[in-house]
């Protein structure tokens, strides 16, 4: 479905078809952009293994590689064709104390998370130029802006994005819009399709090595 079709679907479901609309088109577009990002964060919907986001070059002597900010989680990683693990910094510190001061120069055998935002440290520091290949879970490549744009998630999930719009519209503190019951019902329908929200703190915990560390409290 296009952005235009999703706006029209919202208007039919919310019975907001008469002008002036209770919720204008620009606000509905904003909520639909939110909806796709929320869906991807909750449902882990978009995966990628090729392209610039997944092919990161490094130079000899580089300490880290930068990740695209749309990357939510690294699923697999390779250095010059050899598979390597992404290891949380706490585990690296435990197994290789003072690794950051190691003077060894070689082909990186480990990528270390949890030390620099949106980056992975290379260990050992590379002795020559190379490439990291990644498989990642990510956010959409571009936001929904013009009426002809389509959500990047699968087509059958597009109508459920409208539930987020309705949740946000009916949650607005406005005398003509505020309806907490309808807002909650729409949120439950959205969650049924895409899952419940995890806090950003928990997302960062997963991103930085969920399997090896205790979960945060909230």
């Amino acid at each position: 479905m296009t952005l235009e079709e999703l706006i029209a679907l919202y208007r039919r479901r919310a019975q907001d078809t008469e002008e002036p609309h209770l919720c204008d088109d620009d606000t509905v577009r904003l909520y639909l952009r939110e909806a796709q990002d929320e869906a991807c964060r909750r449902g882990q919907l978009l995966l990628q293994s090729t392209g610039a986001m997944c092919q990161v070059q490094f130079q000899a002597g580089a300490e880290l590689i930068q990740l695209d900010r749309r990357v939510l989680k690294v699923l697999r990683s390779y250095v010059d064709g050899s598979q390597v693990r992404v290891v949380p910094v706490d585990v690296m510190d435990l197994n290789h104390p003072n690794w950051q001061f190691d003077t060894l120069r070689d082909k990186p055998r480990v990528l270390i998370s949890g030390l620099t935002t949106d980056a992975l440290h290379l260990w050992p520091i590379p002795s020559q130029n190379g490439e990291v290949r990644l498989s990642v879970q990510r956010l959409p490549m571009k936001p929904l802006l013009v009426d002809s744009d389509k959500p990047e998630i699968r087509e059958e999930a597009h109508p459920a994005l409208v539930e987020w719009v309705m949740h946000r519209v009916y949650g607005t503190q406005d005398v003509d819009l505020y309806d907490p019951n309808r807002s909650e019902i729409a949120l439950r329908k959205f969650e049924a399709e895409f899952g419940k929200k995890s806090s950003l703190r928990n997302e960062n915990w997963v991103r930085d090595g969920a399997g090896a560390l205790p979960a945060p409290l909230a």
Side-chain angles (χ1 to χ4, degrees), residues 2-212:
T2 65
L3 181 56
E4 183 178 31
E5 290 170 334
L6 286 167
I7 293 172
L9 179 59
Y10 154 73
R11 300 219 174 277
R12 289 196 300 273
R13 286 186 180 177
Q15 299 180 326
D16 186 12
T17 57
E18 299 295 326
E19 295 188 6
H21 297 303
L22 294 174
C23 187
D24 62 81
D25 282 358
D26 286 343
T27 303
V28 177
R29 290 187 186 95
L30 172 63
Y31 291 158
L32 283 166
R33 289 195 290 272
E34 286 183 1
Q36 185 174 211
D37 284 351
E38 282 288 331
C40 290
R41 290 174 65 185
R42 294 162 185 251
Q44 305 176 17
L45 302 181
L46 296 179
L47 308 177
Q48 186 166 329
S49 297
T50 60
M53 179 182 292
C54 299
Q55 298 170 229
V56 186
Q57 309 298 318
F58 60 80
Q59 303 295 314
E63 294 186 20
L64 55 78
I65 59 166
Q66 208 68 42
L67 297 176
D68 190 293
R69 294 185 68 86
R70 292 166 293 192
V71 171
L72 294 174
K73 183 180 179 183
V74 174
L75 305 175
R76 303 176 72 183
S77 50
Y78 297 81
V79 174
D80 295 333
S82 298
Q83 189 164 16
V84 299
R85 291 188 301 145
V86 177
V87 175
V89 63
D90 303 63
V91 174
M92 192 65 182
D93 287 343
L94 181 65
N95 293 328
H96 298 277
N98 299 318
W99 62 270
Q100 283 181 277
F101 304 102
D102 197 338
T103 58
L104 175 67
R105 296 292 187 269
D106 202 346
K107 179 179 177 179
R109 300 191 297 275
V110 173
L111 303 177
I112 302 151
S113 64
L115 192 61
T116 301
T117 301
D118 295 325
L120 297 172
H121 284 250
L122 301 162
W123 186 85
I125 291 175
S127 57
Q128 59 187 24
N129 299 350
E131 179 184 68
V132 175
R133 295 288 297 267
L134 303 170
S135 296
V136 301
Q137 173 201 337
R138 62 171 175 80
L139 292 172
M141 294 298 288
K142 64 177 186 176
L144 299 168
L145 295 174
V146 300
D147 286 346
S148 59
D149 285 345
K150 294 183 178 181
E152 196 175 347
I153 65 175
R154 290 178 61 89
E155 184 85 16
E156 62 267 29
H158 291 185
L161 296 175
V162 173
E163 300 298 342
W164 179 262
V165 180
M166 297 177 70
H167 162 62
R168 293 283 275 125
V169 168
Y170 292 133
T172 301
Q173 297 295 313
D174 180 280
V175 66
D176 295 320
L177 294 174
Y178 186 59
D179 188 331
N181 290 330
R182 295 182 75 177
S183 177
E184 180 62 27
I185 290 169
L187 178 59
R188 287 203 297 267
K189 290 180 179 179
F190 185 82
E191 290 176 341
E193 188 72 20
F194 301 114
K196 290 186 178 295
K197 185 179 182 64
S198 178
S199 69
L200 184 59
R201 184 182 179 193
N202 272 281
E203 287 183 353
N204 282 334
W205 170 72
V206 170
R207 191 160 31 240
D208 292 341

